[in-house]
Amino acid sequence: MQRVTIILLGLGMLAYAITRSPDKPRPARFQHLKGWQKIFGVVAFILTLLIILNPEFLALGLLGDTAFFDMLVLAISLQMHAFAARAFRSCVDVLSRGVRWLGIPSPGLRYLLAILTPAIAGAVSAFQKVVHRIPS
């Protein structure tokens, strides 16, 4: 009970310190975050407070080590997804620059080439199968 009181007192002091000087311009700390990032941050903060303030959650195992491990796995997978998306975007940029360098002028022609590539590959595969059957 004493630990909970100290934590709540510390949070109250932090809230007072943040709201103490309203006339000073504050930097926009969370303006660069997107909506879903803010939501995940609030949920993580609430879960952390529940785990710290309520020892029964730890005793029941509802939000113990497994929850922290699950949140860690979620954070790492989101980071890996963001890295893969950045890598894909950079590959697309390099590929489009290469296509422009080759002299394929219009986006319509690029789209046509992208759509016809699997069809051409299938036709070449079918042609190779036919050619290999003829001698035998």
Side-chain angles (χ1 to χ4, degrees):
M1 184 66 186
Q2 187 178 15
R3 187 174 78 174
V4 172
T5 308
I6 292 172
I7 291 173
L8 288 176
L9 182 65
L11 287 174
M13 289 172 50
L14 180 65
Y16 175 73
I18 289 174
T19 60
R20 189 172 59 122
S21 57
D23 54 342
K24 291 183 181 177
R26 288 190 212 117
R29 293 187 183 118
F30 302 111
Q31 293 297 326
H32 66 283
L33 296 177
K34 296 177 183 168
W36 63 272
Q37 291 172 329
K38 291 178 185 176
I39 290 172
F40 279 131
V42 168
V43 168
F45 182 74
I46 290 171
L47 286 175
T48 304
L49 280 179
L50 282 175
I51 291 169
I52 291 173
L53 296 176
N54 196 353
E56 285 84 27
F57 281 124
L58 290 174
L60 294 175
L62 296 176
L63 293 173
D65 292 336
T66 57
F68 282 122
F69 180 73
D70 290 343
M71 290 185 343
L72 176 68
V73 168
L74 176 66
I76 290 174
S77 65
L78 287 174
Q79 185 178 8
M80 295 284 288
H81 176 67
F83 176 74
R86 261 186 288 147
F88 178 75
R89 267 188 255 124
S90 64
C91 288
V92 166
D93 289 342
V94 167
L95 191 65
S96 66
R97 286 184 194 143
V99 165
R100 270 187 252 133
W101 181 76
L102 287 174
I104 300 174
S106 70
L109 188 55
R110 288 184 215 159
Y111 177 76
L112 185 63
L113 284 174
I115 293 298
L116 289 179
T117 300
I120 292 171
V124 168
S125 173
F127 180 72
Q128 286 178 345
K129 288 178 184 176
V130 169
V131 169
H132 287 297
R133 285 187 194 166
I134 291 174
S136 54

